[in-house]
Amino acid sequence: QVQLQESGPGLVKPSETLSLTCSVSGGSISRYYWSWIRQPAGKGLEWLGRMYSSGSANYNPFLKSRVTMSPDTSTNQISLKVKSVTAADTAVYYCARVVYSYGSWYFDSWGQGKFVTVSS
Amino acid sequence: QSLLTQPPSASGTPGQRVTISCSGSSSNIGSNTVNWYQQLPGTAPKVLIYGDNQRPSGVPDRFSGSKSGTSASLAISGLQSEDEADYYCVAWDDSLNGHVVFGGGTKLTVL
């Protein structure tokens, strides 16, 4: 069974770039789509984007091009970068695998989440 | 940003049947399938329903999904205390080059 684990700094300064890595074990990142989703404390879920293992991606249009995702097939990892962060980017960040069945794309496996605080 | 509309809260007693609604538009629920996720306190979400009404293996048949037009519903029958959680509906939205939209979430309390 595939397992996902997010890692990276838990504290980022305003205006800097948030960088996280999702390490995938028990399966290859190849031939799958992968997403990042975040959740501010006590609030709902927000989709950041979706990336195929080849590197092609599409992002949440409401994040104004601040988000970038990229794969590393040699290390079986997915990375996330969010630039020019503000306090509003403080959240738990999840990576998730995307699968397709019965005409539907859905997130079938999730990491445990990484809490990131944006503060000086 | 666009969101699917869910009631913020729902409640029921053990054994009862509860439904949670999710309202969208022609660009999301009206033209794409709906998935439902359950998030227990302090944990990552878990898929309950995909493709409007399909249950992944391991999800009890007490959980069921349906869709009509631009609205969807999640029904939980035989409510149990361990069903107390947040529930989210999700769909693809065809606008703005396509993106995923989440509902705001419904907190289910088992009384």
Side-chain angles (χ1 to χ4, degrees):
Chain A
Q1 181 169 338
V2 69
Q3 292 187 310
L4 291 71
Q5 177 70 58
E6 303 89 348
S7 61
L11 179 64
V12 182
K13 290 183 168 52
S15 80
E16 295 190 345
T17 296
L18 179 160
S19 296
L20 293 177
T21 297
C22 175
S23 298
V24 178
S25 58
S28 171
I29 67 169
S30 297
R31 293 182 294 169
Y32 281 100
Y33 281 92
W34 303 87
S35 271
W36 287 91
I37 296 135
R38 69 181 180 182
Q39 185 173 37
K43 296 188 178 180
L45 299 161
E46 180 181 32
W47 180 76
L48 302 185
R50 179 182 74 172
M51 180 205 72
Y52 190 61
S53 52
S54 64
S56 64
N58 58 315
Y59 302 114
N60 186 325
F62 297 96
L63 291 175
K64 299 180 181 179
S65 304
R66 295 194 297 126
V67 175
T68 305
M69 300 176 189
S70 57
D72 187 336
T73 53
S74 66
T75 59
N76 220 38
Q77 293 177 326
I78 309 293
S79 69
L80 169 73
K81 293 188 188 302
V82 182
K83 60 184 181 183
S84 305
V85 297
T86 69
D89 295 306
T90 295
V92 175
Y93 285 75
Y94 295 101
C95 61
R97 188 176 73 173
V98 185
V99 296
Y100 183 83
S101 182
Y102 281 88
S104 180
W105 294 97
Y106 65 97
F107 312 117
D108 77 325
S109 300
W110 295 66
Q112 65 184 35
K114 173 70 179 180
F115 182 61
V116 179
T117 301
V118 177
S119 174
S120 55
Chain B
Q1 67 177 288
S2 55
L3 278 178
L4 305 177
T5 302
Q6 298 180 236
S9 64
S11 63
T13 56
Q16 244 186 346
R17 184 177 187 271
V18 171
T19 61
I20 296 172
S21 62
C22 174
S23 178
S25 68
S26 58
S27 64
N28 42 63
I29 294 178
S31 51
N32 296 291
T33 57
V34 177
N35 306 323
W36 290 89
Y37 294 85
Q38 176 193 59
Q39 186 176 33
L40 297 169
T43 69
K46 161 194 159 185
V47 61
L48 275 184
I49 299 288
Y50 67 93
D52 296 336
N53 53 24
Q54 301 298 310
R55 279 187 311 276
S57 60
V59 173
D61 59 7
R62 303 187 296 106
F63 295 91
S64 63
S66 63
K67 188 178 83 172
S68 177
T70 58
S71 294
S73 291
L74 173 70
I76 309 172
S77 60
L79 197 62
Q80 300 180 2
S81 58
E82 57 260 39
D83 298 333
E84 188 159 292
D86 294 323
Y87 292 84
Y88 294 89
C89 58
V90 188
W92 182 261
D93 192 299
D94 294 328
S95 67
L96 300 173
N97 292 322
H99 59 286
V100 170
V101 288
F102 280 90
T106 298
K107 182 172 182 56
L108 175 64
T109 301
V110 181
L111 301 169

